[in-house]
Amino acid sequence: MTGQTEQLWRYVDGIRPVDTHDHLSSPEVFSQSKRTALDIVAGAYIRDDLLSLGLQRDFFGSPLSDREKWDRLKQHLARTRNTTYFQILGLIFADLFGIRGDLLDQEWGDLSGPVSETPARGREWYDYVLKERSKVDLCLIDKGQSTDFEIEIARTVSPEGSWTKESPEATDYDLFRPVLRIDLLAHAFKPGGREAIEEKFGQRVGEFEEFEEFLNRLILDLPNRGFKAIKSLLAYTTGLAHVDPDREKAARAWRAGPEAAPAERRCFVDFVVWRLAELAAAAGLPFQIHTGLSCCGARYPLKSDPKELVPLLCANPETKFDLFHAGYPDLDHAAAMVKAMPNAFVNLNWLPALSGRVFQRYLSELLDLVPMTKISWGGDAVLVEEVYAHAKLTKQFLSSVLEEKMAQGRYGLDLCREIALRLLRQNGMELYGLEPPGDQPVENKEGRFHHTGR
């Protein structure tokens, strides 16, 4: 490495990221779980690679012993060794659990022992993985399901998933900030929807007008309850073509429930999304939207291209929309929207885990296209250990892209530092109105980085 290249890599490694998107359970819920190495494999993204190879969808719930499952699983895992998902799995076991050597050569007992000890460590394990190893300062948490109704919505997408009722604000863990998932509200006309609203929010709604008033109160009060954004996962269930928010048709769907005509059901979803987008602007909350590919064994999504959202974004210019996963595989559409639309932002969460090469190519192009203040990152992890692996790889990939720009004479070292700090930390804090828990990284005279206030 040249002197400047070495300085760049050390600088990026020293940044304490703000993670704008995760699905982590609270340390309290985590401490009550029982874990083996199979839970790491089943809970990480590598599971989708295994399913794509033909692994039985109920494999992890089968009556085989854990040792038998591991022996069979290794045959499938061997075929994924070329993927970034497998690289992430290896990082987790090597760096956090001390499993050295080829992962597929490990005996079951040696592999699972260190994993099974982590729940007893609870908050201490979270502190170790997030604060010490990942160097993360804040995580926005979208946990999603706290009612049976919401779990049933999730099961229509991924029937074999393991779902725990948990609300993201129900923890005092200092790194976590809650995000409200809106899917329940968009499906509220269905049987059980009104009861789920009462269970989740303590509000009884009867007439459609009462539902509208409830939405107003709910969203406008979210900042007072510590929420930092609202989040749509509707790409999995209804798609993103929210083009007909007709109120009267939506009201008919509310009154008819399961007997509503398909067009009225669709209008209800669209009406709620448009109304929440308007309210989000009034509440000063960004609107996070899943775009692109699905995961967790869900069907390949239809109408999930970010460009489906153009009418919604145009109609709500005061609302800040964070386009998750950069719309992969429709990356160019997300980039074009962010370049052309003041209220569109691109979030690179999950993309580094999908493919290191895709991430680097896209980031290099994205930096040529859009202002650096409109790009942010998140771990998009279900397992706390994934946050570490995703953050580590993201820093490596980001450093490589910036190193290339610097070698081409296009960016100087100072600009590369600013871009890295913005993408990993500052942009997320500004977009979501987050308060820094500590100072930003400062280079000392020896060229090493420290963080004051921590």
Side-chain angles (χ1 to χ4, degrees):
M1 287 187 179
T2 66
Q4 284 199 333
T5 299
E6 185 177 357
Q7 289 181 58
L8 172 64
W9 280 71
R10 283 191 285 107
Y11 180 85
V12 175
D13 183 61
I15 294 172
R16 299 193 68 88
V18 165
D19 184 343
T20 61
H21 179 54
D22 278 314
H23 303 282
L24 305 181
S25 288
S26 69
E28 294 80 11
V29 171
F30 173 80
S31 66
Q32 299 169 20
S33 65
K34 294 182 179 180
R35 305 177 93 202
T36 71
L38 289 174
D39 294 306
I40 299 292
V41 179
Y45 282 113
I46 189 69
R47 180 176 179 178
D48 281 339
D49 280 349
L50 297 171
L51 291 173
S52 77
L53 286 170
L55 183 73
Q56 294 298 312
R57 299 181 72 91
D58 61 351
F59 173 81
F60 291 100
S62 70
L64 295 172
S65 70
D66 287 348
R67 189 179 303 275
E68 289 173 320
K69 289 177 185 176
W70 175 243
D71 289 340
R72 295 192 184 187
L73 198 58
K74 287 193 290 186
Q75 302 171 31
H76 293 273
L77 284 169
R79 297 181 231 170
T80 72
R81 286 176 294 172
N82 57 293
T83 69
T84 308
Y85 281 174
F86 186 85
Q87 184 182 2
I88 288 168
L89 193 67
L91 281 175
I92 289 172
F93 279 106
D95 291 5
L96 298 179
F97 296 112
I99 306 297
R100 304 297 174 183
D102 191 332
L103 181 63
L104 301 184
D105 290 338
Q106 305 301 320
E107 294 297 327
W108 170 248
D110 295 334
L111 191 67
S112 198
V115 177
S116 64
E117 298 170 0
T118 55
R121 297 176 62 181
R123 186 171 296 228
E124 177 193 349
W125 181 247
Y126 270 53
D127 286 347
Y128 170 70
V129 175
L130 294 176
K131 298 180 181 180
E132 182 177 340
R133 298 303 305 274
S134 308
K135 303 177 184 176
V136 166
D137 266 348
L138 289 173
C139 298
L140 298 189
I141 302 297
D142 162 28
K143 196 55 191 167
Q145 299 90 22
S146 61
T147 65
D148 289 336
F149 184 84
E150 292 167 290
I151 289 176
E152 284 306 308
I153 293 174
R155 282 182 176 150
T156 63
V157 175
S158 181
E160 298 81 17
S162 178
W163 310 105
T164 301
K165 288 185 181 181
E166 186 177 357
S167 186
E169 72 270 30
T171 179
D172 62 354
Y173 189 57
D174 58 333
L175 263 61
F176 286 3
R177 303 292 185 271
V179 169
L180 180 72
R181 190 182 298 182
I182 66 154
D183 295 36
L184 158 61
L185 306 174
H187 290 280
F189 69 93
K190 296 179 179 178
R194 302 179 199 196
E195 291 78 7
I197 288 174
E198 184 173 1
E199 177 183 351
K200 189 179 184 77
F201 302 107
Q203 296 289 322
R204 181 172 297 181
V205 292
E207 300 300 322
F208 184 72
E209 292 73 17
E210 293 177 316
F211 175 68
E212 289 182 289
E213 182 55 35
F214 160 72
L215 294 181
N216 295 345
R217 293 194 306 271
L218 172 67
I219 303 303
L220 295 177
D221 189 49
L222 286 179
N224 299 326
R225 297 168 54 193
F227 282 83
K228 299 302 179 182
I230 61 174
K231 159 76 184 301
S232 165
L233 202 64
L234 293 169
Y236 279 76
T237 53
T238 67
L240 300 177
H242 303 302
V243 295
D244 189 12
D246 185 281
R247 182 188 180 280
E248 293 309 313
K249 293 178 182 176
R252 288 201 294 270
W254 176 266
R255 292 190 290 268
E259 306 302 320
E264 293 171 346
R265 298 179 191 178
R266 181 70 230 192
C267 283
F268 184 90
V269 174
D270 294 352
F271 171 81
V272 170
V273 170
W274 282 57
R275 183 62 184 135
L276 294 182
E278 181 182 358
L279 290 168
L285 296 172
F287 198 161
Q288 301 178 336
I289 301 186
H290 174 102
T291 64
L293 190 67
S294 59
C295 68
C296 302
R299 61 172 175 77
Y300 196 89
L302 301 175
K303 297 288 187 180
S304 65
D305 188 321
K307 70 179 182 181
E308 302 287 353
L309 296 167
V310 169
L312 178 67
L313 269 67
C314 288
N316 293 277
E318 301 303 316
T319 306
K320 296 178 179 179
F321 293 89
D322 205 7
L323 306 179
F324 274 19
H325 325 309
Y328 180 84
D330 300 299
L331 298 168
D332 291 344
H333 292 158
M337 291 171 65
V338 173
K339 186 172 184 65
M341 308 178 79
N343 61 336
F345 298 79
V346 62
N347 199 310
L348 301 177
N349 65 70
W350 191 21
L351 192 58
L354 280 165
S355 167
R357 194 63 195 158
V358 168
F359 174 79
Q360 291 175 76
R361 174 186 60 79
Y362 183 64
L363 178 58
S364 182
E365 295 175 358
L366 196 63
L367 289 173
D368 290 344
L369 277 167
V370 309
M372 60 182 170
T373 54
K374 302 191 76 179
I375 310 168
S376 58
W377 170 84
D380 198 7
V382 173
L383 305 176
V384 65
E385 295 85 1
E386 283 183 296
V387 177
Y388 164 77
H390 292 184
K392 181 174 183 176
L393 287 182
T394 299
K395 286 184 174 182
Q396 291 177 358
F397 299 153
L398 172 59
S399 296
S400 293
V401 171
L402 294 175
E403 178 186 348
E404 182 180 43
K405 299 282 191 186
M406 200 162 57
Q408 294 169 345
R410 305 207 32 221
Y411 296 170
L413 177 59
D414 287 345
L415 178 57
C416 287
R417 286 172 166 173
E418 183 179 358
I419 291 170
L421 187 62
R422 282 200 162 277
L423 265 62
L424 292 173
R425 181 183 176 92
Q426 190 172 344
N427 289 345
M429 297 187 74
E430 292 176 359
L431 178 60
Y432 290 98
L434 303 173
E435 292 295 327
D439 291 344
Q440 295 175 354
V442 179
E443 187 174 13
N444 62 25
K445 293 181 180 179
E446 290 76 30
R448 293 188 296 270
F449 289 86
H450 66 281
H451 296 263
T452 59
R454 291 190 62 81

